[in-house]
Amino acid sequence: MQWQGYFRKDGRKGIRNYILVVYLVECAHHVAREIASQFREDTVQLIGFAGCYPNEYADRMMNALCTHPNVGGVLLVSLGCESFKRERLEENIRASGRPVHTVVIQEAGGTKKTITEGLSWLQESIPVVAAVSRVRMTVDELIVGTICGGSDATSGMTANPAVGRAFNKLVASKGIAIFEETGEMIGLEDIMSSRAVNPELAAVLKASVEKAARYYTLMGHGSFAPGNAEGGLTTIEEKSMGAYCKSGDSPISGLIKPGDRPTKPGLYLMDVVPDGDPKFGFPNINDNVEIAEMIASGCHTILFTTGRGSVVGSAISPVIKICANPQTYQRMSDDMDINAGAVLTGRTTIDEVGDDIFESILLVAAGRKTCSEELGHQEFILTYKTFTPIGPACLPA
Amino acid sequence: MAKLIKLHPLDNVLIVVEEIAAGERLLINDSMVYIPDAIAIGHKVAEVFIEAGDKIIKYGVSIGSATTKIAIGMHVHLHNMKSDYIPTYTIEKSFRETND
């Protein structure tokens, strides 16, 4: 299957063509929202960073997000005195060939004047971005991420193994698949590292789970609760496998951190747990933090498995929601793209759901809207974090 | 409908997807098997005879070892299997290293 993607001047290809309105501190949020809300969410989307103090991670994430292949142009909204390096961000976006403009509230003369200036730039730029060249795109050019949220006992029985099957097909088709959450892989250090393409990467994968175990222990998180055993889980390995099986069976080609881009086809682990001692609190305060991190690493779309029933989508990249629990699906079917819970009612198998997910990825890439897109979801959050760069063993040679 | 599903072709346990009553007979590997215990949804049942010390395979990987012989159709849980996981990291050790 092939479809028409959006060709960016930096050579990358997108499956959506959004203009972002980006606030660079919470103080500019309202003005940015007022500007963005004048347009439909399938044209203009709002993202931003709330913090006033500098953070290397947030800076890197924002640069990656504003030059994401699904993004065609960017309006930056600055208060003026925040520490975000807006000139460098604007230069990088411009260097990527995208239309970009910065409005500075303190320089423009306040709320009203900034909104007027922002709106007029957007009105000029929307037709320019809409006229971007279309280009043939195929599955081997796709980057797909997966996460789970609002999990229950069914997640590890239906939706997660089915995503693993879809990831097997994606990797076999020379696409790129990204999975994450090393905090949910405790007990699987050896199982996971045995899938690495070389011994150096195996050591890196193992160390990433040990780092997560240490971080979570310092944050006061336990791993295996009595309720897990009541639900039929016997060991920590088994519990962790319920989430980890989303990665499928392919060899693991590399380890990336948020904002790093995989270099070759294959399956990648994203290490989302900050380096060093806990500094800014929980590694990820909610599911959308992880979604934004996978998008910053180039994901065109995200597979989101849920048992209890999450409704979130995301700015920039469409989220395909896969519901693990048949009762949740019945209650919340408007929000769910795929009913993996049908495995439990005997109407389908894990392999068939895996095929449905893979087909869904292609249809969404070709332009079909996901449920969360139809409903206007465009959640976004970017927080403070600290990372050290990945080492030479992390990416395939 | 089937009350048991197999998550991965390599597995030696099946997962209960509809509650099983004590004394039920279910089709496992083409033969009718007597299930002595009531087993709840999400729990594991042996698909083959498992020797003490054998790995329990679910999701295609080892999730621990059998501590006793397990017959086909038996509930597999805390009473007949254990974790093989030995954490390589302990928080106490790390604090010692940092504080020395």
Side-chain angles (χ1 to χ4, degrees), chain A residues 156-157 165 186-187 189 191 210 214 218 229-238 241-242 245 249 344 350, chain B residues 1 7-8 15-17 42-44 58-59 61-63 77-78 81-85 88-89 91 94-95:
Chain A
M157 295 160 68
R165 305 292 203 279
I186 295 165
E189 292 89 333
I191 290 167
E210 288 165 3
R214 176 171 175 275
L218 285 167
E230 279 166 35
L233 300 177
T234 315
T235 66
I236 179 71
E237 299 97 298
E238 181 181 14
M241 274 309 297
C245 66
D249 304 297
L344 299 184
I350 291 171
Chain B
M1 65 163 266
L7 292 180
H8 193 280
I15 308 307
V16 177
V17 297
H43 286 243
K44 299 175 287 299
K58 180 182 171 187
Y59 299 110
V61 302
S62 166
I63 57 160
H77 204 17
L78 300 162
M81 73 165 288
K82 64 170 182 60
S83 171
D84 293 328
Y85 177 61
T88 47
Y89 170 83
I91 191 78
S94 151
F95 273 130

Side-chain angles (χ1 to χ4, degrees), chain A residues 82 229 331:
Chain A
E82 76 276 7
R331 261 200 325 275

Side-chain angles (χ1 to χ4, degrees), chain A residues 369-387:
Chain A
K369 284 190 175 185
T370 65
C371 292
S372 54
E373 284 186 295
E374 287 285 3
L375 295 166
H377 284 276
Q378 49 170 304
E379 286 83 355
F380 179 83
I381 181 162
L382 178 56
T383 62
Y384 282 92
K385 277 176 130 175
T386 311
F387 284 101

Side-chain angles (χ1 to χ4, degrees), chain A residues 3 8 45 68 76 82 85 97 120 133 140 146 155 160 195 216 242 257 265 276 279 303 320 347 365 374:
Chain A
W3 62 91
R8 307 300 172 196
Q45 294 192 333
H68 187 280
L76 302 174
E82 76 276 7
K85 293 186 171 62
S120 86
S133 349
D140 56 331
T146 188
S155 300
N160 291 352
R195 287 172 63 192
Y216 278 86
K257 292 181 182 176
K279 207 170 171 184
L303 307 175
I320 299 170
R347 284 190 286 126
E374 287 285 3

Side-chain angles (χ1 to χ4, degrees), chain A residues 64-383:
Chain A
L65 292 162
C66 289
T67 54
H68 187 280
N70 290 351
V71 174
V74 184
L75 175 69
L76 302 174
V77 185
S78 160
L79 175 63
C81 52
E82 76 276 7
S83 63
F84 206 101
K85 293 186 171 62
R86 64 171 186 265
E87 289 92 357
R88 198 177 58 191
L89 176 59
E90 185 181 324
E91 274 167 36
N92 289 343
I93 298 167
R94 183 164 293 118
S96 79
R98 289 167 173 81
V100 57
H101 182 66
T102 304
V103 285
V104 181
I105 298 170
Q106 289 165 351
E107 290 168 12
T111 302
K112 282 187 183 171
K113 288 172 186 160
T114 311
I115 292 171
T116 307
E117 188 186 335
L119 287 177
S120 86
W121 184 81
L122 275 179
Q123 268 141 10
E124 273 169 39
S125 304
I126 286 172
V128 177
V129 170
V132 67
S133 349
R134 304 302 295 263
V135 63
R136 178 180 172 273
M137 206 174 161
T138 46
V139 62
D140 56 331
E141 296 171 298
L142 278 181
I143 308 181
V144 181
T146 188
I147 79 155
C148 42
S151 297
D152 68 13
T154 63
S155 300
M157 295 160 68
T158 64
N160 291 352
V163 165
R165 305 292 203 279
F167 262 18
N168 289 347
K169 286 185 92 167
L170 179 65
V171 172
S173 312
K174 304 277 177 223
I176 292 173
I178 303 177
F179 69 107
E180 51 86 68
E181 202 28 328
T182 43
E184 290 167 356
M185 292 167 199
I186 295 165
L188 304 179
E189 292 89 333
D190 294 328
I191 290 167
M192 181 161 69
S193 52
S194 71
R195 287 172 63 192
V197 290
N198 61 52
E200 292 76 22
L201 178 65
V204 168
L205 294 177
K206 195 167 174 173
S208 75
V209 180
E210 288 165 3
K211 180 182 81 171
R214 176 171 175 275
Y215 197 101
Y216 278 86
T217 312
L218 285 167
M219 295 301 296
H221 270 261
S223 293
F224 199 82
N228 294 142
E230 279 166 35
L233 300 177
T234 315
T235 66
I236 179 71
E237 299 97 298
E238 181 181 14
K239 178 185 176 178
S240 294
M241 274 309 297
Y244 169 76
C245 66
K246 296 196 299 300
S247 65
D249 304 297
S250 312
I252 299 173
S253 295
L255 175 139
I256 56 171
K257 292 181 182 176
D260 295 330
R261 266 162 48 200
T263 44
K264 292 194 168 159
L267 175 67
Y268 292 77
L269 170 67
M270 177 178 278
D271 178 5
V272 300
V273 176
D275 293 307
D277 285 328
K279 207 170 171 184
F280 299 114
F282 291 106
N284 284 313
I285 58 172
N286 55 42
D287 295 328
N288 278 99
V289 175
E290 292 170 29
I291 291 175
E293 290 180 332
M294 289 204 279
I295 294 172
S297 283
C299 286
H300 293 95
T301 182
I302 304 291
L303 307 175
F304 187 124
T305 66
T306 183
R308 299 180 67 178
S310 173
V311 300
V312 303
S314 178
I316 302 175
S317 294
V319 172
I320 299 170
K321 282 207 298 297
I322 301 145
C323 187
N325 185 322
Q327 287 159 1
T328 305
Y329 183 82
Q330 261 189 337
R331 261 200 325 275
M332 301 176 68
S333 60
D334 290 349
D335 288 282
M336 302 300 167
D337 296 282
I338 290 179
N339 178 15
V343 169
L344 299 184
T345 52
R347 284 190 286 126
T348 184
T349 64
I350 291 171
D351 283 328
E352 283 169 5
V353 177
D355 290 344
D356 290 349
I357 296 170
F358 185 73
E359 195 192 318
S360 218
I361 293 170
L362 302 179
L363 292 173
V364 167
R368 189 178 78 182
K369 284 190 175 185
T370 65
C371 292
S372 54
E373 284 186 295
E374 287 285 3
L375 295 166
H377 284 276
Q378 49 170 304
E379 286 83 355
F380 179 83
I381 181 162
L382 178 56
T383 62

